[in-house]
Amino acid sequence: MKKSLHMLFAVLVVVVMAVSACAPATPAPTEAPVVVEPTAVPPTAVPPTEAPAPELGTAENPLIMALAPSATTQELQTGGEAIAAKLTELTGYTITTTVPTNYAAMIEAMGAGNAHIGWLAPVQYIVAHGKGYADVGLATVRNGSNHYGVQYVANVEAGFTSYYDAATGTVTADAATALAQFADKKPCWTDPLSASGYIIPSGLLKANSIKTPAGAWVQGHPTVIKSVYLSPKGEICSFGATFIDARSNVVADFPDVNDKVVIIWVTEPFIPNDNVSFAANVPADMREKLTQGLIDLASTEDGIALLKSGGYSIQGLEVVDDTFYDEFRVYLEASGVDPTTLFK
């Protein structure tokens, strides 16, 4: 019996082992997979879109008309605003006015976009054009001419001899003879870039070896006349130089100016009149419309009255281009002024 039990136990052991061998193997536990989170990519920054600048010539971005300070600021401002208002009516553009402090400031305003229409004196224009700031559109006309000359003036009580025949508008002596009496006398000048108020008259004095003290810079041709009028003994200056005949610009203030301020000598009319120029950033179609508007303005009596009231005594306008100034450039060089040095 005991032997049978042993045999049964042995058989059970063998069966258990056989079953264990046939059972599938239990897989070894594995580590959980590492989940890699995607890297967050910031969206590409989109710069804010700037609103386009208002169209030039609108109320939000008006055309700026700059007036050369060759007359009194108030006179120019009043007359300029009247011209701008009429030009706005004729063209539909909104136009405002400004009077820069001096000729150089006006040139820089044209280059910086702070002036779009400029009433420029001739040397001003040559400098502005040389810098690429402005292009001429129209020349002014006075007394039927688009050129003018220089006059030297003095107070009648100063005792200078006049070599100018008012009846014929001619001179009776050469420059050396007439101007010699200004030696050691203080002049009144308008602006360093004024052709008739400084560059040409001072150049003629130097060309004839006539030395004078440093001048008084009084700005504006009417102011030169007024300064001479108020200087019978050279209190401000002993003589001055202006365009011909700047005395007419102060008759309202000094009715006897033609008696008190005498013309000593004049040059031939070889200086181009001041002009209307356009800044480089003014589009061609806008230039054409403004040019036509000004021509239309100058074609009527009311328009001429407005142009005269602006302080420039303008009697007409005519279309010109840069070649209008070629001959004057030669005169400047002959007088010792190299135009290219003025705009370096």
Side-chain angles (χ1 to χ4, degrees), residues 138-210:
L138 296 159
T140 61
V141 176
R142 297 182 184 86
N143 301 316
S145 176
N146 54 23
H147 284 70
Y148 68 101
V150 176
Q151 68 179 17
Y152 293 84
V153 295
N155 193 292
V156 68
E157 295 183 31
F160 293 113
T161 300
S162 173
Y163 291 94
Y164 174 70
D165 185 344
T168 61
T170 59
V171 294
T172 59
D174 59 18
T177 301
L179 304 182
Q181 56 191 323
F182 293 143
D184 300 321
K185 304 297 182 182
K186 184 178 181 179
C188 268
W189 304 127
T190 61
D191 186 281
L193 289 178
S194 172
S196 58
Y198 174 66
I199 292 177
I200 297 301
S202 66
L204 283 171
L205 291 173
K206 291 176 183 177
N208 287 283
S209 302
I210 300 167

Side-chain angles (χ1 to χ4, degrees), residues 322-343:
D322 184 67
T323 60
F324 181 66
Y325 293 87
D326 286 349
E327 185 177 0
F328 182 59
R329 289 182 173 100
V330 175
Y331 277 113
L332 284 178
E333 292 176 2
S335 67
V337 178
D338 180 358
T340 61
T341 66
L342 298 175
F343 48 81

Side-chain angles (χ1 to χ4, degrees), residues 7-340:
M7 288 292 291
L8 178 61
F9 181 76
V11 172
L12 288 172
V13 170
V14 171
V15 171
V16 170
M17 292 178 66
V19 171
S20 297
C22 293
T26 302
T30 59
E31 294 184 4
V34 178
V35 178
V36 179
E37 296 290 340
T39 303
V41 179
T44 303
V46 179
T49 303
E50 293 185 6
E55 187 177 354
L56 186 61
T58 61
E60 295 76 19
N61 187 18
L63 287 163
I64 302 172
M65 184 171 73
L67 308 166
S70 59
T72 62
T73 299
Q74 185 56 53
E75 183 181 19
L76 289 172
Q77 193 71 54
T78 301
E81 288 174 357
I83 294 171
K86 187 63 178 178
L87 194 54
T88 291
E89 178 185 325
L90 292 170
T91 63
Y93 299 133
T94 300
I95 303 170
T96 62
T97 60
T98 184
V99 181
T101 54
N102 54 51
Y103 283 18
M106 185 168 175
I107 292 169
E108 293 310 311
M110 296 287 285
N114 296 324
H116 307 99
I117 308 166
W119 295 77
L120 301 176
V123 176
Q124 255 189 309
Y125 167 73
I126 288 173
V127 175
H129 183 73
K131 287 188 170 188
Y133 293 170
D135 299 301
V136 66
L138 296 159
T140 61
V141 176
R142 297 182 184 86
N143 301 316
S145 176
N146 54 23
H147 284 70
Y148 68 101
V150 176
Q151 68 179 17
Y152 293 84
V153 295
N155 193 292
V156 68
E157 295 183 31
F160 293 113
T161 300
S162 173
Y163 291 94
Y164 174 70
D165 185 344
T168 61
T170 59
V171 294
T172 59
D174 59 18
T177 301
L179 304 182
Q181 56 191 323
F182 293 143
D184 300 321
K185 304 297 182 182
K186 184 178 181 179
C188 268
W189 304 127
T190 61
D191 186 281
L193 289 178
S194 172
S196 58
Y198 174 66
I199 292 177
I200 297 301
S202 66
L204 283 171
L205 291 173
K206 291 176 183 177
N208 287 283
S209 302
I210 300 167
K211 296 181 179 180
T212 64
W217 297 99
V218 298
Q219 193 182 77
H221 296 260
T223 311
V224 170
I225 299 296
K226 291 178 181 179
S227 298
V228 170
Y229 180 97
L230 297 171
S231 300
K233 296 181 180 180
E235 292 87 342
I236 302 172
C237 52
S238 297
F239 71 98
T242 68
F243 61 79
I244 305 170
D245 181 354
R247 295 179 301 176
S248 62
N249 289 48
V250 302
V251 170
D253 295 328
F254 303 103
D256 61 345
V257 64
N258 287 351
D259 298 323
K260 293 291 185 67
V261 177
V262 295
I263 298 174
I264 304 300
W265 194 78
V266 302
T267 70
E268 292 293 324
F270 66 92
I271 304 173
N273 284 357
D274 45 319
N275 68 41
V276 180
S277 290
F278 301 109
N281 65 335
V282 177
D285 59 338
M286 185 173 282
R287 296 185 189 197
E288 291 176 7
K289 196 169 182 179
L290 289 166
T291 297
Q292 189 58 54
L294 286 164
I295 290 173
D296 292 343
L297 177 64
S299 66
T300 66
E301 291 184 7
D302 290 343
I304 290 296
L306 280 178
L307 292 171
K308 286 182 178 179
S309 70
Y312 296 131
S313 302
I314 297 169
Q315 298 172 346
L317 295 168
E318 62 180 40
V319 176
V320 298
D321 59 25
D322 184 67
T323 60
F324 181 66
Y325 293 87
D326 286 349
E327 185 177 0
F328 182 59
R329 289 182 173 100
V330 175
Y331 277 113
L332 284 178
E333 292 176 2
S335 67
V337 178
D338 180 358
T340 61

